[in-house]
Amino acid sequence: MRGVLIGALGGVVVLGITAAVVVPEAREWYDGRHEQTSSYATGKAAKADRDSVPSWLPDDAASVEYAMRTTGGERILKATLNGDQLPGSCEPLRGKKAPDPEISASWFPSDRAGEARGRCGSYYVSLEDHTLYAWQTNGDWMEENRRSSSAE
């Protein structure tokens, strides 16, 4: 009886250690498999390749990095602009606080919400030395889809 108890206890310990290692790895794989990242030479190339790239991104934007979650509307974007102004269709935030981006990438700084200067469509945007950073939350994406479907 004692041998069976020790064997069962050993099995529980092995299962616990295995779960502690496997579960986080499985979660990272599961979460990551719904994210896609792409790089483009220009804004025009990005918009031609992916319908989800925002139309307000200038065609002549360079070095475009784009990441999206396929299970919702979370998006992040980085691009180099020719000038030091946001695209013309963007509007100032007027004191509103921007939410943090809901996805991440090595090329997208984690402190962007505090630097947000405006909104371009459903994206929050900041501009730093000709580099545009833009992000869209799932909630803003859903609201944009509700508005566009009710306008039809």
Side-chain angles (χ1 to χ4, degrees), residues 22-139:
V22 171
V23 169
E25 290 294 323
R27 182 175 181 172
E28 184 176 322
W29 170 82
Y30 181 78
D31 288 344
R33 75 186 181 110
H34 293 292
E35 292 182 9
Q36 297 178 353
T37 303
S38 304
S39 299
Y40 303 95
T42 66
K44 184 176 184 176
K47 292 186 286 188
D49 187 54
R50 287 195 181 268
D51 290 337
S52 59
V53 172
S55 60
W56 54 260
L57 180 68
D59 286 347
D60 64 351
S63 303
V64 178
E65 299 288 341
Y66 180 72
M68 62 177 277
R69 189 165 287 149
T70 61
T71 56
E74 300 93 336
R75 312 277 191 264
I76 54 177
L77 173 85
K78 175 185 171 188
T80 303
L81 301 182
N82 285 331
D84 58 357
Q85 299 292 319
L86 293 173
S89 62
C90 300
E91 298 176 358
L93 276 181
R94 300 190 206 296
K96 291 183 183 177
K97 184 176 176 348
D100 289 323
E102 296 171 339
I103 60 175
S104 62
S106 61
W107 44 262
F108 198 92
S110 59
D111 63 349
R112 287 295 94 188
E115 303 297 321
R117 288 182 38 191
R119 291 286 303 254
C120 299
S122 58
Y123 281 74
Y124 294 91
V125 294
S126 71
L127 189 61
E128 181 181 310
D129 298 326
H130 301 282
T131 301
L132 171 77
Y133 295 98
W135 63 100
Q136 174 180 263
T137 65
N138 188 57

